């Protein structure tokens, strides 16, 4: 049971980290896109990333919390799992407070309704 919880936790953290890293890699190329192309790419990603990432982040949070509990007899694992849980929670809070509101705004734009300050949203 403990081995399964450890595997699930590390696997989910890897997936969440990988997707976050992919966002970092996309920043530069997205800055070169004209407004309409940026909007099309961003809206496609929002449709695919949003629901998948929400579920993965919640699963990563609970799996790391579970790992902290099931490894409580070990010297280091519960501390590291608790730190991982806290960091995933911070990531979820940042997404909910900062990134998701921007995503919701951008998702309602059309090429015709793009505001003149659209680059501010892109660069956030």
């Amino acid at each position: 049971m403990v081995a399964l919880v450890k595997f699930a936790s590390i696997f989910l953290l890897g997936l969440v980290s990988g997707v976050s890293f992919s966002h970092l890699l996309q920043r530069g190329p997205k800055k070169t896109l004209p407004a309409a192309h940026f909007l099309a790419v961003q809206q496609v990603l929002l449709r695919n990333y949003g629901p998948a990432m929400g579920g993965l982040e919640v699963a990563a949070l609970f799996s790391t919390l579970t790992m902290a509990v099931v490894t409580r007899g070990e010297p280091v694992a519960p501390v590291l799992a608790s730190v991982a849980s806290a960091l995933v929670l911070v990531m979820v809070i940042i997404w909910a407070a900062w990134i998701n509101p921007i995503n919701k705004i951008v998702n309602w734009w059309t090429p015709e309704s793009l505001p003149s300050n659209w680059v501010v949203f892109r660069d956030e």
Side-chain angles (χ1 to χ4, degrees):
M1 172 69 167
V2 174
L4 179 61
V5 170
K6 286 181 179 181
F7 172 80
S9 181
I10 292 168
F11 180 74
L12 290 166
L13 287 171
L15 288 175
V16 169
S17 298
V19 172
S20 296
F21 186 62
S22 78
H23 281 296
L24 180 64
L25 293 175
Q26 294 169 18
R27 274 184 76 88
K30 280 184 185 177
K31 286 186 176 195
T32 67
L33 295 174
H37 291 144
F38 164 78
L39 181 61
V41 168
Q42 189 66 14
Q43 288 178 342
V44 166
L45 291 177
L46 288 175
R47 277 193 294 274
N48 294 327
Y49 275 58
M53 281 306 295
L56 285 174
E57 288 172 352
V58 169
L61 177 61
F62 284 115
S63 70
T64 54
L65 286 171
T66 303
M67 187 171 159
V69 171
V70 301
T71 60
R72 66 186 172 275
E74 297 179 24
V76 178
V79 174
L80 294 177
S82 296
V83 170
S85 295
L87 292 173
V88 171
L89 182 59
V90 167
M91 182 173 64
V92 169
I93 290 169
I94 289 169
W95 175 84
W98 181 32
I99 297 169
N100 192 44
I102 293 170
N103 287 346
K104 285 182 177 181
I105 291 168
V106 172
N107 204 33
W108 285 103
W109 291 346
T110 65
E112 297 78 31
S113 71
L114 260 152
S116 60
N117 68 337
W118 70 273
V119 295
V120 172
F121 290 87
R122 179 199 65 196
D123 294 344
E124 284 287 320

